[in-house]
Amino acid sequence: MTLPAPFVSRIMELEKDWIDYNGHLNMAYYNVLFDRCSDDAFELMGLGPNYAKERRLTIYTAEVHICYVQELHLGHNVTVSFQLLDHDEKRLRAYQEIRHVDGWLAATSEQLSLHVDMAGPKVAAFPADIMAKVEEMRATHASLPMPERAGRSIGIRRKTA
């Protein structure tokens, strides 16, 4: 199977109930869009719902950093990309972008995900067959440049006199 670099979701519509009192997409639903794309990318690596059901192993999110770049409104359609930046035997680091179908950037997300044995639950190493798929995606995505917005931290910049 040829993996896309980056993985890009199907076109997604914003739902009416996701629009907040400010008239734009509520911050919680950016996560829904990112999550739907991640689920599809995880499926390519063998980490989908059947994996959780049959092997009792899954992915948990440990940390997320979202940057809201431009507002989304009802009627906007978007795609979401997924780029696997790094991994080790138990963790995945991914970067995502939500883009309006016209191409402009709406939001970015960087996540650290943990591979979890649901019997614990406890963090566990990927089985060899899954690690091979993770490594295949990482190798495919290694040709992509490191996103400019990856690795950001939160802080208040102070002007010096």
Side-chain angles (χ1 to χ4, degrees):
M1 168 174 62
T2 303
L3 295 173
F7 172 81
V8 179
S9 74
R10 70 192 188 292
I11 294 174
M12 295 187 252
E13 285 185 54
L14 305 186
E15 298 181 19
K16 183 178 184 249
D17 292 341
W18 296 358
I19 305 303
D20 65 19
Y21 58 84
N22 293 313
H24 59 235
L25 185 65
N26 179 277
M27 63 183 278
Y29 295 101
Y30 285 84
N31 277 311
V32 170
L33 294 167
F34 286 127
D35 194 51
R36 287 180 178 175
C37 176
S38 291
D39 284 347
D40 291 343
F42 290 157
E43 184 72 42
L44 288 176
M45 292 183 279
L47 297 164
N50 288 337
Y51 179 70
K53 182 179 178 185
E54 295 167 9
R55 295 172 76 171
R56 304 293 298 151
L57 298 166
T58 192
I59 293 293
Y60 282 12
T61 301
E63 185 175 344
V64 177
H65 183 135
I66 295 177
C67 293
Y68 303 95
V69 179
Q70 189 167 339
E71 292 181 2
L72 289 169
H73 300 276
L74 189 62
H76 285 172
N77 293 321
V78 300
T79 59
V80 183
S81 63
F82 178 98
Q83 180 179 348
L84 185 59
L85 297 177
D86 197 5
H87 74 281
D88 64 16
E89 69 279 355
K90 299 178 182 180
R91 299 174 295 184
L92 303 172
R93 178 181 169 216
Y95 173 82
Q96 294 183 269
E97 293 183 344
I98 297 175
R99 290 192 174 271
H100 186 277
V101 291
D102 289 343
W104 50 264
L105 182 64
T108 65
S109 177
E110 189 172 358
Q111 313 87 29
L112 180 66
S113 301
L114 307 175
H115 184 254
V116 172
D117 180 338
M118 295 166 74
K122 64 181 179 181
V123 178
F126 293 106
D129 62 318
I130 298 300
M131 179 57 91
K133 292 178 183 178
V134 168
E135 288 174 345
E136 179 184 2
M137 183 173 278
R138 178 63 192 119
T140 301
H141 291 189
S143 65
L144 299 169
M146 178 61 72
E148 180 184 329
R149 292 179 164 272
R152 293 179 147 219
S153 63
I154 296 174
I156 298 173
R157 293 186 186 149
R158 306 277 185 208
K159 292 183 180 180
T160 56

